[in-house]
Amino acid sequence: MAHQWIYNFNAKNTDGNRSMKNLLGGKGANLAEMSALGLPVPPGFTITTEACLDYQKNNGQISDEIKNQVSASLNRIEDLTGKKFGDSSNPLLFSVRSGARVSMPGMMDTVLNLGLNDETVEGMAKLTGNERFAWDSYRRFIQMYSNVVMDFNSAILEQTLDSLKEARDAKEDTDLTAEDFKELVAAFKRIILEDSGESFPTDPKEQLWRAIAAVFNSWNNPRAMKYREIHHYSHDWGTAVNVQSMVFGNMGDDSATGVCFTRDPSTGDKRFFGEFLINAQGEDVVAGIRTPMPINEESKNDHNAKLKTLKEAMPKAFDELTELYLKLEAHYKDMQDIEFTIEKNKLYILQTRNGKRTGSAAVKIAVDLFKEKILTKEEALVSMDPEDINQLLHPRLDPKVEKNIIANGLPASPGAASGYIVFNSDDAVQKKEEGQKVILVRLETSPEDINGMVSSEGILTARGGMTSHAAVVARGMGKPCVAGCNALLIDSTKKELIVGDKTYKEGDALTIDGTTGEVMDGIVPTISADISEEFKEFMSWADEYRTLKVRTNADNPADSIQAIEFGAEGIGLCRTEHMFFAPERILAVREMIFANTEQERQTALDKLLPFQKEDFAGIFTEMNGKPVNIRLLDPPLHEFMPHTEEEKQELANSVGLELSDIENRASQLQEFNPMLGHRGCRLGVTYPEIYKMQVRAIIEAAVEVSNKGIKVIPEIMIPLISTKEELAILKKDALEVIDTVFKEKGESVAYKIGTMIELPRAAIVAGDIATEAEFFSFGTNDLTQTTFGLSRDDSGKFLPSYVSKGILSRDPFVSIDQRGVGFLVEHACKEGRKTNEKIHLGICGEHGGEPKSIEFCHKVGLDYVSCSPFRVPIARLAAAQAAIREKKA
Amino acid sequence: MAHQWIYNFNAKNTDGNRSMKNLLGGKGANLAEMSALGLPVPPGFTITTEACLDYQKNNGQISDEIKNQVSASLNRIEDLTGKKFGDSSNPLLFSVRSGARVSMPGMMDTVLNLGLNDETVEGMAKLTGNERFAWDSYRRFIQMYSNVVMDFNSAILEQTLDSLKEARDAKEDTDLTAEDFKELVAAFKRIILEDSGESFPTDPKEQLWRAIAAVFNSWNNPRAMKYREIHHYSHDWGTAVNVQSMVFGNMGDDSATGVCFTRDPSTGDKRFFGEFLINAQGEDVVAGIRTPMPINEESKNDHNAKLKTLKEAMPKAFDELTELYLKLEAHYKDMQDIEFTIEKNKLYILQTRNGKRTGSAAVKIAVDLFKEKILTKEEALVSMDPEDINQLLHPRLDPKVEKNIIANGLPASPGAASGYIVFNSDDAVQKKEEGQKVILVRLETSPEDINGMVSSEGILTARGGMTSHAAVVARGMGKPCVAGCNALLIDSTKKELIVGDKTYKEGDALTIDGTTGEVMDGIVPTISADISEEFKEFMSWADEYRTLKVRTNADNPADSIQAIEFGAEGIGLCRTEHMFFAPERILAVREMIFANTEQERQTALDKLLPFQKEDFAGIFTEMNGKPVNIRLLDPPLHEFMPHTEEEKQELANSVGLELSDIENRASQLQEFNPMLGHRGCRLGVTYPEIYKMQVRAIIEAAVEVSNKGIKVIPEIMIPLISTKEELAILKKDALEVIDTVFKEKGESVAYKIGTMIELPRAAIVAGDIATEAEFFSFGTNDLTQTTFGLSRDDSGKFLPSYVSKGILSRDPFVSIDQRGVGFLVEHACKEGRKTNEKIHLGICGEHGGEPKSIEFCHKVGLDYVSCSPFRVPIARLAAAQAAIREKKA
């Protein structure tokens, strides 16, 4: 038997199915699937990707065997449709489309109405009773075909059309008549002959062979090759060619075209609805010139309430469509977005796909489909994109209101917010106290902006990426943030923001959408998030399946409460330094920095102790029985230094020094690369009393809260470890303090001491470090910075171009780099478990809230992930999906 | 048979040898070795480390079995010496010393003259004919013993001595009489009894048991334990105790004590020489109160020419010593430093060890010992510490001249230099042109100081570590540098340097010693290095054995010439950016930075092309046939920005912009962490035309030099790669340029394209990268920074304390961190070879010139190391040693 180069799809005989994407391309496989299901798909056939490779091997010749098989399939379609290819009375017309295994821009897209010529156009005219339509289709076919198949410069034919419109004083194409189009067809053919030296092919078979060859050739055009290089797709795949018979929704009042959804994509309600137009083509529904009609009562709205429904106009087709949509939903097990055409009362399905939907609709649909027994729980869980949960938890812009977008930045922390501009944190705090809603606009934020961020509705920065300070902290707070918005020119001294040619001043209104990165003029109303019963049910399923625990990154009781509401099972990262910036504390911190002796430093630390203790007690109380992982001081001391002249003078007075001493000390503390500087456990080693104070605060708080009958599980985390010896020394210090406190209090609590793994060396020697640690928490933000040698604060200048050039497939600060950073994480888990089989493993970098990274964490066997409160539900779902996928694999 | 707790050493019966350090300690093993050799060592015995552990197991009791074995050994010594322990007419006295397997400060050191009491002291007085000496020894013994064995506060006895001196109106101890010492002994014993409640032990056996127990106890005193923790020594080793009979060089004119060297430690000349004193103890030779006498004619100098030699005074002892030194040299196969004592005409050897020597002496001795057939070539090669070569290649301070050291910094680049202070590079250049020798004093240096450094005799900085910019560049230039000298307060605006209470101004004289880190007031004369014939011969042996090639890091023809003289086999790292700072070039570089369009950037680059080409042509010519590895632009662009107002204005004029534009651009280019910023290949990706210009310059120069009949082997190195895709894109760009140049010139040359491996991720994915690279060069400076998350520019604040606390055994920027960074290097070699078996592997970080790191490079199978010109000979020797050690293992 000869090799099969052609796969047919039609009601009687379909050779393929949706699993055959490599051979038939995505489009061909989908057409086969629908046909095999018995859907009324216009019949056609797919020429395989193997045929494409064969064509190339034969130096651009379609073999006779392939041609024979194409002809056989073509005859079969003639039999099925009763139409004839090239026939002047009942012509069969085709669309020809490319289709690779993945959707790939750059290749030839579509030729419609192939088979038209001077004879068949007359048949079309008679069949449709619309001569103008037939000739318009013909001239469009010539334009399209000459351009994409013959590589003819489309501008020349466009000019001819324009000249004719001018001569006829016609504004639009629709002002031209059938005679005009006839004239145009003649002109086009003449021009093509004159300019290219060859006649436009009028033999339908010739049209077909050349169109097929053009699709094959388009596989290797420069744009397609470039695209494959960027996406690491193989040049050896080839493309399939789909040849499908045309159907027309514009063949008269017994024809129509439309779009429908099997459920409401906005709410998820089980409500079949859609729109259609009689005697129209697909584009007309979209174009909005005529008001589309509702397909049923459920589809009626203010605009179309008085129009006829499809049910009323074409009851038979409507009944067929109803039957089909139920079949499609059951088959694809998801809400479908269906394109249909009715040609002379006969219904055709042109396309069906899983419909796009809002986050809340996604949850409702998944839960309903489970209840309708269409999906299992596992299928329902994997059906939802975890990122879509974002929408559910944050306020969003009212979709009904118009927006005036003035700039675009990075969607750094989801949700929408409106308010009045302030340019610094102090102003934010003050205006907030005065009852105003404010948007904090900064070049970039730093830890001392924390209070201003707390007081703002949203944060907008001109610099920084997805993991800049503003982005990370805003996500932690669940506050909308647009970061790295380069178009902003900010002069915070003048309190001015220039965007394009418009200048905004303090107090001017602005709206940001942290989900999209848009910045808008004025106040755009928002609608608030509401957590539905379905959502709670859905998330409870996720909890049944996941094995990864989900903790949260939280630095204060308020965030802790929020996180518990979202299902957090503990705190994975409590950053103690955020607590240092409150006005009554920062001075003591600075006194500590200026201490000349250990004794002076101790005096300053004694002032901080009660504050830290109070913070920890608050968190322990809220987390009642859930573990709380507290990281000891991490940032370099210069982050706490005063910046303004006033603050410097205040500090000078407080520590009894000259202003110049303050400035000298500040310049001494400056670092070339603070990220790689004197921070983390290095501070603990050089100033042991700082960590000792923090450990004392943690343990005193733990004992006191525990005495109130609240269960407390403190975990003390030492950051930036690179050698086992560092941890051993600091652990010994901590144990001494803990012992002392237990003796003082006459009580003890259980606790753990462990370390961040956030430097490549720590990951490499994890086996050593694990002998001193009860847990590892992977700090993948810093681990990504050091593994790549990439400062996240500086990478904004070139990282976007790295992603767009395909050097990196994703921003490694957003989704963990599994090949590089992941290697270190996996190595550390393996080596750590070798020397300490009880070691508890987690992640507290930003990746802990990103679905792909969470799947990776599940795979390497971490015990938990930790993320900002608002990403906890996302992480719970992603963890469940990872567990389900693993079970299936 | 009972377990052997005691190992005797004496002329008739020696149980141990030098291999038994674990059991006998280092000192005990050495005493055994010398005794077994038949040297006249005062007889004694070693109580094993096992006995120490036994003592501890028995809760601080010396077992009877051990006591019995000690008594037996003691009796044997009485027999051998004819003296008796505790005898009042001919008393046997002992020294008791601790001795662990490694030399370990913190333990009990020594008790001398054990066995003295009111009776034996009289015997001593008679034997020595010196009552004063006997009683002085006795009171010293009581002081020493009560302090180290009885833990009695030594200050109390010191006060008693001082009071007596005051009463006697005596300035020195030597002014006291025998009667005075008798009085003191009585007083000491009384005070000890009163204060401690126990009598000073007068029974010699009791003295001995308590001294042995004190040594055992000292193993676990806090200082010793701390020391072991820092050095990762086991607490389970225990210490041995050495009990050795005393001999006295001060028993009259037939007694003497001295020190001799078997060869000249300054020159290495085969010349036996030394000094001695008649009727004296070891301390007297060192103390310098009496002028020591020469042992032979060869030992005479200006001070002692008129004194009697040992040969003349004690010919028999001299002959014995001569015989012995030859024996010792042959046995230890090295120049020996020998301590001897003559007691009543009998020669004793107290100690022999490999003598310290200068670098040039080390080479001469090694070569001579080979010629004398004492050493094989391999033994001669491993006998030398490669670091000692440093001395040979650099000028050093005249050791005869007194130095006034005003501060100490890091010995950042070896050699000594004197000159007049300048505070900036421009002044350095100008003064140099005026014929003045200058020392460049900077807070720290940056790439724009290159010209100033070239013009200076030496560089002194207040900040930065061993791998700071100043240190690295100075070593590259072979110029002395003292870095990170914290004691300096530099005000470069005022042109003032304050050290302690002295202020130095521009033009004041200063001397630095980059070998020791010392900074000295005024001009201290230096003596120049001279390369001997022996050195050349010795290095040629190294070349016979080593398998690692040795290249150099050089950026200009002068350095290339120097490196070839030192034996470099190619250039492993030519940094192109150093070439950018010359005054006529930097403006073009800045114009490039300010270019708004690709076209403007190209225009600026076109100006740079001829300069770069000329540089490369010069280097290719000098390296005639040796490979030259050129790294494309690496530092971030802001390093090239102007700093002074004048420079900024000049640039503004040149590019037709306002001064404020210049300042804006400079602030735009600022980075938070430049080390992790927009540099290396990231510049190549965002500004392809920069790398294209550099590749063109390299290839045009290569073709042109090649056309002159000079063989050229260019290697193009792309820095800071972290993904294969970066390299693929930049390699493609380079290949296009190379093809174009070959076509233009009608000629081609062979070349290689490869990459630095200097980021953890590059090492991890080296298997991918190797498919695009012809070579890897490990940039272990940056790899160390990123693996540890440690900025070398900032680490000076805490890294020294990390080394002193034992967290790191060595500065990882000096010697490669084999456990962490080494893991990545090894992984990259393995993975790289898997996918590209021909890949050529080298190292160009500073570690390429450090012996331990070179041994590591040899082990992991690199093809070459590259280091600064002045370290090339060190690397050649270290590579030979690595090969020899591997062969032996």
XYZ file of all heavy atoms in Angstrom, chain A residues 391-433:
324
model
N -7.258 37.658 39.642
C -8.395 38.546 39.406
C -9.419 38.487 40.523
O -10.102 39.462 40.808
C -9.126 38.117 38.141
C -8.425 38.361 36.863
C -9.314 37.871 35.724
O -10.534 37.830 35.835
N -8.694 37.489 34.622
N -9.556 37.305 41.114
C -10.615 37.104 42.103
C -10.345 37.831 43.392
O -11.269 38.138 44.134
C -10.736 35.617 42.443
C -11.602 34.768 41.558
C -11.013 34.635 40.192
C -11.799 33.414 42.206
N -9.046 38.035 43.667
C -8.688 38.497 45.000
C -8.487 39.998 45.073
O -8.413 40.570 46.152
C -7.412 37.788 45.470
C -7.439 36.269 45.343
C -6.109 35.694 45.791
C -8.569 35.667 46.155
N -8.325 40.625 43.929
C -8.032 42.056 43.931
C -9.167 42.845 43.279
O -9.820 42.348 42.361
C -6.739 42.326 43.153
C -5.523 41.751 43.812
N -4.992 40.540 43.461
C -4.753 42.221 44.815
C -3.924 40.296 44.212
N -3.760 41.292 45.055
N -9.346 44.086 43.721
C -10.306 44.937 43.011
C -9.863 45.108 41.564
O -8.665 45.054 41.259
C -10.243 46.271 43.756
C -9.063 46.201 44.659
C -8.664 44.781 44.808
N -10.804 45.299 40.674
C -10.396 45.533 39.285
C -11.199 46.694 38.724
O -12.199 47.129 39.309
C -10.566 44.269 38.447
C -11.941 43.699 38.460
C -11.928 42.205 38.086
N -13.199 41.604 38.395
C -14.240 41.530 37.551
N -14.134 41.987 36.314
N -15.374 40.987 37.906
N -10.745 47.190 37.584
C -11.403 48.335 36.975
C -12.780 47.919 36.500
O -12.964 46.802 36.001
C -10.586 48.832 35.786
C -9.208 49.409 36.141
C -8.483 49.824 34.867
C -9.362 50.608 37.075
N -13.693 48.819 36.654
C -15.037 48.558 36.127
C -14.925 48.450 34.607
O -14.558 49.413 33.932
C -15.956 49.725 36.518
C -17.400 49.435 36.132
O -17.615 48.614 35.216
O -18.297 50.038 36.743
N -15.222 47.288 34.039
C -14.997 47.111 32.595
C -15.914 47.987 31.758
O -15.680 48.176 30.565
C -15.289 45.624 32.369
C -16.107 45.185 33.549
C -15.752 46.078 34.677
N -16.934 48.542 32.380
C -17.899 49.333 31.587
C -17.427 50.767 31.386
O -17.983 51.484 30.563
C -19.257 49.345 32.303
C -19.865 47.948 32.452
C -21.316 48.019 32.879
C -21.816 46.656 33.333
N -21.448 46.361 34.746
N -16.426 51.180 32.127
C -16.011 52.590 32.059
C -14.823 52.743 31.104
O -13.942 51.880 31.045
C -15.630 53.100 33.476
C -15.138 54.527 33.421
C -16.827 52.966 34.405
N -14.828 53.825 30.368
C -13.748 54.071 29.407
C -12.470 54.497 30.137
O -12.549 55.208 31.139
C -14.170 55.175 28.438
C -13.501 55.036 27.081
C -14.004 56.111 26.137
O -15.212 56.427 26.173
O -13.171 56.651 25.395
N -11.333 54.080 29.613
C -10.070 54.430 30.271
C -9.201 55.250 29.327
O -9.162 54.977 28.136
C -9.268 53.171 30.639
C -10.080 52.022 31.143
C -9.240 50.787 31.407
C -9.004 49.904 30.183
N -8.384 48.614 30.519
N -8.505 56.225 29.884
C -7.552 56.999 29.094
C -6.144 56.580 29.535
O -5.591 57.083 30.503
C -7.792 58.491 29.343
C -6.743 59.343 28.644
O -5.983 58.841 27.808
N -6.685 60.614 29.007
N -5.604 55.620 28.769
C -4.290 55.067 29.148
C -3.189 56.036 28.745
O -3.096 56.419 27.582
C -4.078 53.700 28.477
C -5.140 52.721 28.981
C -2.680 53.165 28.748
C -5.250 51.469 28.163
N -2.364 56.438 29.712
C -1.304 57.406 29.399
C 0.074 56.767 29.346
O 1.010 57.310 28.795
C -1.302 58.570 30.417
C -1.135 58.040 31.845
C -2.587 59.389 30.302
C -0.886 59.130 32.865
N 0.208 55.566 29.923
C 1.521 54.896 29.883
C 1.339 53.438 30.261
O 0.314 53.057 30.834
C 2.493 55.572 30.863
N 2.351 52.643 29.918
C 2.336 51.227 30.271
C 3.619 50.867 31.002
O 4.710 51.213 30.557
C 2.234 50.360 29.015
C 0.788 50.136 28.619
O 0.079 49.383 29.280
N 0.359 50.832 27.573
N 3.462 50.176 32.125
C 4.631 49.685 32.848
C 4.503 48.194 33.049
O 3.755 47.530 32.331
N 5.245 47.662 34.002
C 5.166 46.234 34.276
C 4.024 45.953 35.242
O 3.836 46.685 36.205
C 6.476 45.754 34.905
C 7.699 45.891 34.020
C 8.956 45.629 34.837
C 7.604 44.928 32.853
N 3.252 44.888 34.992
C 2.173 44.529 35.901
C 2.763 43.896 37.155
O 2.807 42.676 37.298
C 1.349 43.527 35.098
C 2.301 42.926 34.132
C 3.374 43.959 33.862
N 3.239 44.722 38.083
C 4.106 44.236 39.154
C 3.345 43.667 40.338
O 3.848 42.793 41.028
C 5.022 45.361 39.617
N 2.167 44.154 40.591
C 1.358 43.591 41.689
C -0.102 43.825 41.316
O -0.521 44.963 41.108
C 1.705 44.289 43.010
O 0.894 43.769 44.041
N -0.880 42.746 41.225
C -2.191 42.848 40.568
C -3.218 43.649 41.359
O -3.086 43.859 42.561
C -2.621 41.392 40.432
C -1.858 40.660 41.463
C -0.561 41.385 41.642
N -4.253 44.041 40.638
C -5.327 44.838 41.196
C -5.274 46.252 40.648
O -4.263 46.668 40.099
N -6.393 46.974 40.798
C -6.456 48.340 40.294
C -6.643 49.289 41.463
O -7.227 48.920 42.480
C -7.617 48.479 39.324
N -6.112 50.485 41.301
C -6.253 51.479 42.363
C -6.270 52.871 41.765
O -5.594 53.148 40.776
C -5.098 51.351 43.353
N -7.045 53.737 42.400
C -7.106 55.144 41.984
C -6.757 56.015 43.180
O -6.990 55.620 44.326
C -8.522 55.499 41.540
O -8.851 54.784 40.376
N -6.259 57.191 42.899
C -5.965 58.105 44.001
C -5.255 59.336 43.500
O -5.114 59.541 42.288
N -4.813 60.151 44.466
C -4.178 61.408 44.133
C -2.677 61.282 44.346
O -2.228 60.688 45.329
C -4.822 62.525 44.963
C -6.307 62.582 44.681
C -7.211 61.879 45.481
C -6.774 63.234 43.546
C -8.575 61.861 45.172
C -8.128 63.230 43.236
C -9.030 62.537 44.049
O -10.358 62.514 43.711
N -1.946 61.846 43.414
C -0.504 61.636 43.387
C 0.208 62.235 44.597
O -0.049 63.380 44.969
C 0.094 62.266 42.110
C -0.500 61.595 40.863
C 1.615 62.171 42.107
C -0.103 62.255 39.555
N 1.104 61.442 45.202
C 2.095 61.992 46.129
C 3.470 61.499 45.671
O 3.569 60.467 45.016
C 1.871 61.555 47.602
C 0.614 62.182 48.161
C 1.845 60.039 47.710
N 4.514 62.273 46.027
C 5.839 61.958 45.518
C 6.800 61.436 46.575
O 7.935 61.131 46.277
C 6.438 63.175 44.800
C 5.756 63.491 43.501
C 4.737 64.419 43.429
C 6.126 62.806 42.344
C 4.101 64.699 42.228
C 5.504 63.088 41.137
C 4.481 64.029 41.077
N 6.354 61.415 47.832
C 7.215 60.798 48.836
C 6.377 60.181 49.948
O 5.162 60.432 50.054
C 8.248 61.784 49.385
C 7.603 62.925 50.143
O 6.866 62.691 51.093
N 7.868 64.146 49.703
N 7.039 59.377 50.752
C 6.329 58.596 51.752
C 5.709 59.452 52.838
O 4.610 59.164 53.305
C 7.285 57.571 52.365
O 7.422 56.487 51.504
N 6.427 60.501 53.228
C 5.881 61.351 54.281
C 4.556 61.973 53.845
O 3.585 61.995 54.596
C 6.885 62.456 54.652
C 8.081 61.875 55.396
O 7.976 60.719 55.844
O 9.093 62.576 55.512
N 4.538 62.473 52.598
C 3.305 63.043 52.073
C 2.203 61.993 52.026
O 1.039 62.280 52.310
C 3.538 63.612 50.667
C 4.406 64.882 50.714
O 4.590 65.416 51.833
O 4.885 65.308 49.652
N 2.583 60.766 51.656
C 1.580 59.709 51.571
C 0.945 59.494 52.933
O -0.288 59.432 53.061
C 2.228 58.410 51.080
N 1.782 59.429 53.951
C 1.274 59.191 55.304
C 0.362 60.343 55.736
O -0.737 60.138 56.248
C 2.457 59.030 56.297
C 1.956 58.966 57.722
C 3.279 57.788 55.930
N 0.816 61.568 55.456
C 0.056 62.737 55.879
C -1.311 62.834 55.189
O -2.347 62.983 55.825
C 0.876 63.996 55.600
C 0.383 65.214 56.375
C 1.044 66.470 55.857
O 2.235 66.450 55.533
N 0.287 67.556 55.765
N -1.287 62.692 53.865
C -2.546 62.798 53.100
C -3.516 61.697 53.528
O -4.714 61.906 53.626
C -2.282 62.664 51.593
C -1.364 63.726 51.021
C -2.101 65.026 50.747
C -1.084 66.070 50.269
N -1.635 67.423 50.240
N -2.969 60.522 53.748
C -3.805 59.402 54.177
C -4.493 59.747 55.492
O -5.689 59.502 55.668
C -2.929 58.161 54.324
C -3.562 57.004 55.070
C -4.441 56.165 54.156
C -4.902 54.905 54.894
N -5.754 54.081 54.043
N -3.700 60.352 56.381
C -4.276 60.758 57.667
C -5.371 61.799 57.475
O -6.336 61.856 58.225
C -3.181 61.291 58.603
C -2.411 60.159 59.268
C -1.182 60.654 60.012
O -0.973 61.881 60.080
O -0.414 59.793 60.501
